[in-house]
Amino acid sequence: MECIVHFDVVHKEGPKPLRGLLFINEGTAPSEAELIGMFKDMKFNVRLEDAEKLVFKPVNPADSFQEIRITGYDNGKQGAKEDHELKSIVGNLLPQKPTGL
Protein backbone atom coordinates (compact mmCIF):
# COMPACT_ATOMS: atom_id res chain seq x y z
CA MET A 1 0.00 0.00 0.00
CA GLU A 2 1.05 3.59 -0.49
CA CYS A 3 2.44 5.58 2.43
CA ILE A 4 3.09 9.31 2.14
CA VAL A 5 5.89 10.40 4.46
CA HIS A 6 5.77 14.05 5.57
CA PHE A 7 9.08 15.58 6.61
CA ASP A 8 10.96 18.85 7.02
CA VAL A 9 14.38 19.39 5.48
CA VAL A 10 16.13 21.88 7.77
CA HIS A 11 18.39 24.35 5.97
CA LYS A 12 20.28 27.29 7.44
CA GLU A 13 17.50 29.54 6.09
CA GLY A 14 14.81 27.45 7.79
CA PRO A 15 12.80 24.26 7.30
CA LYS A 16 11.27 23.22 3.99
CA PRO A 17 8.31 20.80 4.22
CA LEU A 18 8.41 17.95 1.70
CA ARG A 19 6.75 14.59 1.11
CA GLY A 20 7.97 11.22 -0.06
CA LEU A 21 6.19 8.08 -1.19
CA LEU A 22 6.83 4.52 -0.03
CA PHE A 23 5.08 1.26 -0.80
CA ILE A 24 4.74 -0.85 2.34
CA ASN A 25 2.79 -3.91 3.43
CA GLU A 26 -0.66 -3.21 4.82
CA GLY A 27 -0.67 -2.79 8.59
CA THR A 28 3.03 -1.94 8.79
CA ALA A 29 4.97 1.28 9.12
CA PRO A 30 8.08 2.31 7.17
CA SER A 31 11.31 0.83 8.48
CA GLU A 32 14.54 2.75 9.03
CA ALA A 33 16.03 1.19 5.87
CA GLU A 34 12.95 2.09 3.79
CA LEU A 35 13.07 5.70 5.00
CA ILE A 36 16.81 6.02 4.33
CA GLY A 37 16.28 4.48 0.87
CA MET A 38 13.47 6.93 0.11
CA PHE A 39 15.69 9.86 1.14
CA LYS A 40 18.57 8.47 -0.95
CA ASP A 41 16.26 8.30 -4.00
CA MET A 42 15.55 11.99 -3.36
CA LYS A 43 19.32 12.73 -3.28
CA PHE A 44 19.47 13.06 0.52
CA ASN A 45 22.24 10.76 1.79
CA VAL A 46 21.36 10.45 5.49
CA ARG A 47 21.72 8.32 8.59
CA LEU A 48 19.32 8.02 11.52
CA GLU A 49 20.53 10.32 14.31
CA ASP A 50 17.63 10.15 16.79
CA ALA A 51 15.15 7.27 16.56
CA GLU A 52 12.82 8.74 19.17
CA LYS A 53 12.44 12.09 17.41
CA LEU A 54 12.90 10.61 13.90
CA VAL A 55 15.76 12.93 13.01
CA PHE A 56 18.10 12.07 10.14
CA LYS A 57 21.46 13.79 9.63
CA PRO A 58 23.45 14.08 6.41
CA VAL A 59 26.24 11.54 5.98
CA ASN A 60 28.37 14.29 4.44
CA PRO A 61 28.56 17.31 6.80
CA ALA A 62 29.18 19.58 3.78
CA ASP A 63 25.65 18.93 2.44
CA SER A 64 23.37 21.95 2.07
CA PHE A 65 20.94 20.79 4.77
CA GLN A 66 21.40 20.27 8.51
CA GLU A 67 18.85 17.54 9.21
CA ILE A 68 15.59 15.93 8.15
CA ARG A 69 12.74 15.53 10.62
CA ILE A 70 9.83 13.20 9.90
CA THR A 71 6.61 14.93 10.92
CA GLY A 72 4.12 12.18 10.11
CA TYR A 73 2.78 9.87 7.47
CA ASP A 74 -0.46 9.12 5.71
CA ASN A 75 -1.51 5.75 4.39
CA GLY A 76 -4.75 7.11 2.91
CA LYS A 77 -6.99 5.60 5.57
CA GLN A 78 -9.06 7.62 7.96
CA GLY A 79 -7.39 7.75 11.36
CA ALA A 80 -3.97 7.04 9.90
CA LYS A 81 -1.20 6.73 12.43
CA GLU A 82 0.60 9.89 13.31
CA ASP A 83 4.15 10.74 14.19
CA HIS A 84 4.24 9.26 17.72
CA GLU A 85 3.29 5.75 16.56
CA LEU A 86 5.84 5.85 13.75
CA LYS A 87 8.50 6.90 16.25
CA SER A 88 7.67 3.93 18.44
CA ILE A 89 7.85 1.47 15.55
CA VAL A 90 11.16 2.82 14.25
CA GLY A 91 12.54 2.83 17.80
CA ASN A 92 11.64 -0.84 18.20
CA LEU A 93 13.48 -1.73 14.97
CA LEU A 94 16.79 -0.33 16.20
CA PRO A 95 19.12 -2.46 18.30
CA GLN A 96 18.74 -1.73 21.97
CA LYS A 97 21.70 -0.39 23.92
CA PRO A 98 22.81 -2.69 26.72
CA THR A 99 22.03 -1.45 30.22
CA GLY A 100 23.98 -2.00 33.39
CA LEU A 101 27.24 -3.40 32.05
Side-chain angles (χ1 to χ4, degrees), residues 40-59:
K40 194 171 204 169
D41 290 344
M42 300 172 79
K43 308 298 184 215
F44 295 114
N45 192 13
V46 297
R47 62 180 167 71
L48 182 62
E49 174 76 13
D50 187 332
E52 187 176 318
K53 295 181 182 176
L54 292 173
V55 174
F56 294 80
K57 295 281 188 173
V59 172

